[in-house]
Amino acid sequence: MEARYFITGTDTDVGKTIATAQLLRAFAAAGHVAVGMKPVAAGCEWRNGQLYNSDVAAHAAASSIQAPAALVCPYLFEAPISPHLAAREEGRSLDLEYIASAAHHLQAWADVVLVEGAGGWFAPLSDEYNIADLAVRLQAPIILVVGMRLGCLNHALLSAKAILDSGLRLAGWIANQIDPKMQRYADNIAYLRANLPAPMLAEIAFQPNAQDLTLPAQAITLLACGASAKQAINN
């Protein structure tokens, strides 16, 4: 089993946090100590003198342990806009090495760390760096969350190609049914199964309490099989 995975999505609002929370619970159910990390969270509000972010809170609720706040989310911004714009408005800059250091220190708290990105694969973090640069710096296998709606086939295939072009391994993908009325849903799933270069780990059905649920054990088994196959190839 890999010690760290990076969760990205085909776009913003495709269910990365829901998938991360469900995956954290699945790891815990499989006997792992798992913790979520949101390196950059924009769209926060002040609560009791501290910045609060719903994605970070969802990770905390699903994680096996409560790690230090500075490690699970190094950068919090108030404005609900792209992180590079939020940072600019607050006169701050994002340091990839600082994030990488936080991720490294989190490994002392848990045997599995799930790092959730912001937006899609090329979402900017600054004028110089984007989410892809952060993932490459962390050198973690990628889990792609596909928001199942019209247009998802193109977004998923483009995202997968970009991930592989970066030199990282696409460990698997998760289908999240964000449009409950999507036409030909099953046909779209079948196409992605046949054309994405990684196994489908799970499907997440559209339901109000999805964030509080757990992915099937099969998702962890598939990830473990992928890690074992990679190790066998390297040996």
Side-chain angles (χ1 to χ4, degrees):
M1 181 62 62
E2 300 282 359
R4 184 189 301 163
Y5 292 92
F6 193 95
I7 317 297
T8 192
T10 48
D11 202 349
T12 192
D13 291 331
V14 295
K16 294 187 300 297
T17 300
I18 290 173
T20 301
Q22 290 205 15
L23 194 53
L24 283 166
R25 292 190 176 91
F27 272 113
H32 297 277
V33 177
V35 67
M37 180 185 187
K38 181 83 172 178
V40 183
C44 303
E45 61 184 64
W46 287 97
R47 292 188 181 183
N48 301 318
Q50 294 182 323
L51 282 174
Y52 169 89
N53 178 266
S54 59
D55 291 353
V56 177
H59 285 188
S63 294
S64 305
I65 47 94
Q66 297 302 301
L71 297 182
V72 298
C73 189
Y75 293 100
L76 291 156
F77 300 104
E78 286 191 69
I81 54 179
S82 176
H84 79 292
L85 297 177
R88 184 184 301 167
E89 283 190 3
E90 295 187 18
R92 301 164 64 190
S93 60
L94 280 73
D95 185 343
L96 296 191
E97 293 306 314
Y98 182 72
I99 294 173
S101 176
H104 174 74
H105 283 94
L106 267 181
Q107 298 290 171
W109 290 76
D111 54 274
V112 177
V113 176
L114 300 185
V115 184
E116 181 191 335
W121 186 244
F122 286 128
L125 294 173
S126 69
D127 292 336
E128 296 83 21
Y129 304 113
N130 57 30
I131 287 294
D133 295 316
L134 173 58
V136 170
R137 175 61 185 84
L138 295 177
Q139 284 296 297
I142 308 300
I143 296 173
L144 176 66
V145 179
V146 179
M148 297 302 297
R149 62 187 174 201
L150 186 64
C152 68
L153 302 184
N154 177 63
H155 291 166
L157 294 175
L158 283 175
S159 297
K161 183 179 187 305
I163 290 165
L164 296 179
D165 286 348
S166 74
L168 295 176
R169 182 168 67 90
L170 182 59
W173 61 282
I174 296 172
N176 184 34
Q177 191 179 16
I178 56 177
D179 178 5
K181 297 181 180 179
M182 180 183 186
Q183 297 188 42
R184 304 295 190 271
Y185 173 83
D187 292 335
N188 280 268
I189 288 288
Y191 184 89
L192 291 173
R193 276 183 175 272
N195 290 278
L196 281 178
M200 185 177 82
L201 303 178
E203 292 180 66
I204 298 177
F206 181 87
Q207 49 192 318
N209 66 331
Q211 192 167 274
D212 301 322
L213 302 179
T214 304
L215 283 188
Q218 178 188 5
I220 306 303
T221 301
L222 289 170
L223 288 173
C225 289
S228 298
K230 177 192 173 188
Q231 184 177 20
I233 291 171
N234 290 338
N235 291 339

